[in-house]
Amino acid sequence: MEKYCYRLTTLSSLIVSPRGNLAWYEKSKRNRQNEEIEGFSTQEIKGGEYLDREKLKIIYPFYQYGEYRAYAPDSAEYYLPGSAVKGAFGGSSSGRCMVDDILVCRESIVLRNLYKAQYLFHETKKACLRVFMENVGVEMIKVETELKGELYLEDKAPEEFLEPGKRSTKTKLRQMLGYLQKLQKEYGDQPMGEEFRKMIDKLSSLFNDNNVVLIGGYKGLLHSIERTSASEAEGDREKTEGAVYLDQETGLPHGLVKVEWI
């Protein structure tokens, strides 16, 4: 197998969280010995943009090696799983391949609330872009972070391996742009109409970049699946279109990264 090196540059914040049972909870409960259950205290959490620290009750961590008895971002060894990269690149295609995990420095991880467009389907006059689950914080890789990784391929060039991922990303971007354009038209001059227009402008600027792929979660349904039939497009809008999550810092969906071979 041949080794190839690549660089990922995050164009929006990147969220990859392990199973929910690994979440951290605020130190508010006590066991039978009247000892605090280990977790975190809001006073220990560093303040930052896009996080309401005082309301924090649950933290979903980024992937990290080892086991920790309490929330400890200053000593955690963070990594981006190779399986997440492989899936985004098109690892389900034929041929043998191995993708290593990528170490992520602690300074590149930020804790933030999630932002989501709400009341889109049932109470359109109340539609707004605001914090979703205000008691939950999510660790994510911040924008403009550079990550270097390695992968191993057998009988396949790296560009050929990446092609399914790029093609899938292009389809998902097209789906999301179409959906946002419908929403922008529906909301017109209302504040949410302006928000959707900004999203469209931001996303359109990346559409023709052939080195962009999507990695991770909290991207919304249309950035997570590819429609396979016209019936899906004409079905129940809430089910087929799904949520609109937004990285507040960039005005883009989460998980957009640029790939370069080095």
Side-chain angles (χ1 to χ4, degrees):
M1 301 181 79
E2 294 289 331
K3 182 176 83 170
Y4 299 95
C5 300
Y6 61 92
R7 176 170 52 240
L8 302 179
T9 303
T10 55
L11 305 176
S12 61
S13 52
L14 171 59
I15 303 173
V16 183
S17 294
R19 297 182 301 277
N21 64 348
L22 296 178
W24 292 108
Y25 294 84
E26 186 184 18
K27 294 177 181 177
S28 58
K29 297 182 180 179
R30 293 177 177 269
N31 60 21
R32 293 181 180 178
Q33 287 74 41
N34 201 35
E35 297 173 336
E36 284 188 342
I37 296 174
E38 294 190 71
F40 69 89
S41 166
T42 55
Q43 301 306 312
E44 300 169 347
I45 303 299
K46 296 177 181 178
E49 289 187 294
Y50 317 116
L51 176 69
D52 190 339
R53 187 184 68 177
E54 299 304 319
K55 294 181 180 178
L56 204 57
K57 301 293 183 184
I58 304 172
I59 293 175
Y60 287 101
F62 203 85
Y63 272 88
Q64 49 192 280
Y65 292 118
E67 296 183 2
Y68 300 85
R69 294 179 58 82
Y71 180 63
D74 290 336
S75 59
E77 296 184 23
Y78 294 103
Y79 71 98
L80 177 61
S83 57
V85 177
K86 180 179 178 181
F89 280 17
S92 60
S93 57
S94 60
R96 289 183 59 205
C97 64
M98 295 189 302
V99 183
D100 289 343
D101 296 339
I102 302 176
L103 294 178
V104 181
C105 69
R106 299 176 196 125
E107 291 75 17
S108 296
I109 298 291
V110 291
L111 179 64
R112 292 177 175 170
N113 294 121
L114 292 171
Y115 284 78
K116 176 185 174 185
Q118 302 193 54
Y119 304 110
L120 292 183
F121 307 105
H122 306 297
E123 301 178 69
T124 54
K125 290 184 179 180
K126 294 174 61 178
C128 59
L129 183 67
R130 70 180 190 188
V131 172
F132 177 60
M133 300 186 297
E134 61 184 12
N135 296 327
V136 176
V138 180
E139 287 191 333
M140 56 189 78
I141 300 178
K142 61 186 179 182
V143 68
E144 296 183 355
T145 296
E146 288 192 359
L147 304 169
K148 293 183 179 180
E150 298 176 348
L151 57 82
Y152 301 81
L153 300 174
E154 184 175 77
D155 300 327
K156 183 172 289 190
E159 280 298 337
E160 183 184 359
F161 175 68
L162 183 58
E163 184 58 34
K166 294 197 297 186
R167 186 169 57 246
S168 177
T169 296
K170 187 78 72 174
T171 297
K172 293 170 185 175
L173 290 179
R174 185 181 296 110
Q175 290 173 171
M176 180 56 75
L177 278 170
Y179 178 39
L180 292 174
Q181 287 164 353
K182 286 198 299 183
L183 288 172
Q184 197 277 329
K185 183 177 180 180
E186 181 174 332
Y187 285 89
D189 295 331
Q190 297 179 50
M192 277 306 294
E194 178 63 16
E195 290 290 347
F196 290 130
R197 186 192 64 76
K198 292 178 183 177
M199 294 182 205
I200 291 167
D201 290 345
K202 290 275 190 176
L203 206 55
S204 296
S205 67
L206 296 179
F207 185 77
N208 293 321
D209 191 330
N210 293 321
N211 295 309
V212 173
V213 297
L214 283 158
I215 301 178
Y218 293 100
K219 303 183 295 291
L221 186 62
L222 287 186
H223 270 160
S224 303
I225 65 168
E226 294 180 51
R227 285 174 166 167
T228 57
S229 67
S231 62
E232 286 184 348
E234 297 300 325
D236 177 43
R237 184 177 67 174
E238 185 171 1
K239 292 180 180 179
T240 59
E241 312 290 14
V244 177
Y245 293 96
L246 190 71
D247 171 19
Q248 285 288 85
E249 184 176 0
T250 63
L252 291 166
H254 295 286
L256 286 160
V257 300
K258 185 165 186 173
V259 184
E260 300 170 280
W261 300 105
I262 54 178

